[in-house]
Amino acid sequence: MKILVINAGSSSIKYQLYNMRDESVLASGRVERIGMNSSIIIHEAKGSEIHEVSEILDHVAGVRKVLEMLLHEEYGVLASIEEIEAVGHRIVHGGEAFKESVLVTADVKLEIRRLFDLAPLHNPAHMMGISAVDSNLPDVPQAVVFDTAFHQTMPPVAYLYPIPKVLYSRHKIRRYGFHGTSHHYVSDRAAALLGKPLESLKMITCHIGNGASVTAIMDGKSVDTSMGLTPLEGLMMGTRSGDIDPAIVPFTMSKEELSLTEVNFMLNKHSGLMAISGISSDMREIVEAMESGDKNAQLAFEMYTYRLRKYIGAYTAAMNGLDTLVFTAGVGENSVHLRAAVCDGLSFLGLKLDHELNSQRSREARIISTESSAIKVLVVPTNEELIIARDTYRLVQSEVGN
């Protein structure tokens, strides 16, 4: 079975085509600047990367262009569009309605639309992706995989906020968590690498990219996670503030005469590493500046790793122990400096980082702690698209079986 995985943004479409026989990626790419006459599609297949500029005015045209690329005589990978037997979509917010991945139905579409208020920047774009596939592949089954679903196992003590409970009953204001497909994938992969059942491990997974989150996993389930109602809560990130005193919001609005939209934009786009360093939200540039003696970059790095260590310490306490610590995503997989700064500050737990293993560059999942370390530290490259493809395959096969 060949499955097309789509992650639709407001002006973009990312895609991967999987052959589920061996879970290989046949082609991948992205469409950018949708809605402009200078849209860009970047398509990778057969060892080549093709760039093309054209007019793509909406997501329907964007998906049509993706299909053209997959069928292209020279750099396509399909002989017929009928080879695509299912499409899987990433959906950021599933609220409490979706505790697992599901096939797309009219009722599912309606519920995703009801969740627009909880994810106004993401869910509407994902729905455009679903509608675009409806238009281009009307007879192909679609599945939706939710970033929040993995965290629906959190207990009330972890997901409820200490605010009037009527806000939860009326508006479902609670912690939902995000990056669920990533935390799901790397926790499974880490357990397999260690040769132990996931259910037997107390594990903390750190998805550290421009957006970042930490998840506590016990008995194979997410029991707490750092992101909350929105992806703004939790760790200091590339441009997001993470945890702050909530009184800062009305205070800043009053002093600076900012609107709610403006202060929200400030906390999401002009905070984090960017705000403290004054130079970049990119950890590579922060480390480079820090090594050149930039004190603001040094402070930004130290604040970032300090807050990450605090969350790891808190989740270790919440689970009454820790067996495994996992780093993933762009920064987590590639920043030797970040992993060292975090792990060296956790030696009180009996964690011992092997600095030689940590410094080695690899795209493979690997252990980077010493043999005598009480806590195993791993680097596991994430693969959220594969989780989406697997869930889509499982759902379609189950539907056929019925």
Side-chain angles (χ1 to χ4, degrees):
M1 178 182 286
K2 294 184 176 69
I3 291 177
L4 180 62
V5 173
I6 286 180
N7 181 357
S10 59
S11 61
S12 66
I13 298 171
K14 296 178 183 177
Y15 64 93
Q16 288 193 1
L17 180 69
Y18 280 88
N19 183 344
M20 296 309 293
R21 181 178 299 173
D22 57 3
E23 295 187 340
S24 60
V25 178
L26 301 176
S28 63
R30 60 190 185 274
V31 184
E32 299 176 344
R33 304 175 71 183
I34 292 174
M36 304 178 69
N37 57 13
S38 57
S39 303
I40 301 168
I41 183 165
I42 301 169
H43 178 79
E44 297 180 49
K46 298 179 178 179
S48 300
E49 183 174 287
I50 297 92
H51 293 239
E52 185 177 306
V53 178
S54 62
E55 184 179 72
I56 300 175
L57 296 182
D58 57 23
H59 284 68
V60 174
V63 169
R64 187 183 308 123
K65 190 65 181 179
V66 169
L67 298 178
E68 287 176 11
M69 287 290 187
L70 295 174
L71 289 164
H72 196 277
E73 184 178 354
E74 182 180 352
Y75 41 78
V77 293
L78 298 176
S80 166
I81 201 66
E82 294 179 357
E83 290 183 52
I84 298 176
E85 296 181 66
V87 178
H89 296 266
R90 177 205 180 202
I91 308 291
V92 164
H93 218 306
E96 291 187 331
F98 299 105
K99 292 179 169 58
E100 58 186 4
S101 305
V102 295
L103 290 173
V104 174
T105 64
D107 287 342
V108 167
K109 291 177 186 178
L110 182 61
E111 190 59 38
I112 292 172
R113 288 191 177 95
R114 287 182 181 142
L115 293 166
F116 279 8
D117 283 350
L118 290 177
L121 299 179
H122 296 95
N123 277 26
H126 300 323
M127 272 303 305
M128 287 192 284
I130 293 170
S131 298
V133 172
D134 278 336
S135 297
N136 285 280
L137 299 167
D139 299 320
V140 174
Q142 300 183 67
V144 282
V145 180
F146 301 91
D147 277 7
T148 51
F150 182 65
H151 302 299
Q152 284 295 300
T153 53
M154 287 191 295
V157 68
Y159 72 68
L160 286 176
Y161 291 113
I163 57 177
K165 204 167 183 181
V166 67
L167 295 175
Y168 169 66
S169 59
R170 287 181 184 171
H171 309 296
K172 299 303 177 186
I173 296 176
R174 50 159 285 183
R175 175 176 284 106
Y176 289 98
F178 300 90
H179 297 142
T181 49
S182 179
H183 291 293
H184 181 185
Y185 175 83
V186 300
S187 59
D188 281 350
R189 185 75 183 87
L193 187 61
L194 293 171
K196 296 183 178 181
L198 179 59
E199 293 76 15
S200 71
L201 297 170
K202 293 178 179 179
M203 183 183 297
I204 293 175
T205 51
C206 305
H207 178 106
I208 313 298
N210 192 49
S213 64
V214 180
T215 295
I217 299 170
M218 188 164 61
D219 299 326
K221 300 175 181 178
S222 171
V223 294
D224 207 345
T225 193
S226 57
M227 285 181 168
L229 175 71
T230 75
L232 183 58
E233 186 182 358
L235 300 171
M236 175 178 170
M237 306 177 216
T239 62
R240 294 178 185 142
S241 65
D243 295 339
I244 62 169
D245 182 340
I248 290 172
V249 174
F251 184 85
T252 303
M253 291 175 68
S254 173
K255 293 295 184 181
E256 297 293 327
E257 297 183 353
L258 299 178
S259 67
L260 186 59
T261 298
E262 289 170 330
V263 76
N264 190 50
F265 192 78
M266 177 192 78
L267 295 174
N268 277 282
K269 299 296 184 181
H270 292 290
S271 297
L273 283 174
M274 175 66 80
I276 302 302
S277 71
I279 57 171
S280 179
S281 62
D282 190 315
M283 183 59 76
R284 293 167 296 185
E285 295 180 10
I286 297 296
V287 170
E288 184 178 340
M290 180 176 69
E291 292 180 333
S292 299
D294 188 312
K295 292 184 178 180
N296 289 328
Q298 177 78 38
L299 177 61
F301 179 84
E302 291 179 355
M303 287 177 63
Y304 192 97
T305 55
Y306 172 74
R307 286 172 168 236
L308 178 50
R309 280 200 312 275
K310 285 207 300 181
Y311 259 98
I312 293 169
Y315 286 170
T316 300
M319 294 189 293
N320 193 25
L322 180 63
D323 300 309
T324 310
L325 178 65
V326 184
F327 292 94
T328 193
V331 178
E333 293 169 28
N334 296 298
S335 181
V336 172
H337 295 82
L338 175 130
R339 295 194 300 262
V342 171
C343 292
D344 288 346
L346 298 171
S347 59
F348 74 99
L349 293 173
L351 188 155
K352 298 176 183 177
L353 185 69
D354 186 317
H355 287 275
E356 184 177 346
L357 291 176
N358 182 51
S359 65
Q360 294 174 5
R361 302 285 183 178
S362 174
R363 293 186 177 181
E364 299 298 320
R366 61 200 188 278
I367 299 171
I368 59 170
S369 51
T370 67
E371 288 284 344
S372 62
S373 179
I375 297 168
K376 295 301 179 186
V377 184
L378 285 73
V379 179
V380 179
T382 193
N383 195 337
E384 296 169 86
E385 291 79 11
L386 181 56
I387 288 289
I388 296 170
R390 285 174 176 172
D391 275 14
T392 302
Y393 178 76
R394 173 180 56 81
L395 289 165
V396 171
Q397 289 291 93
S398 176
E399 184 73 8
V400 170
N402 292 332

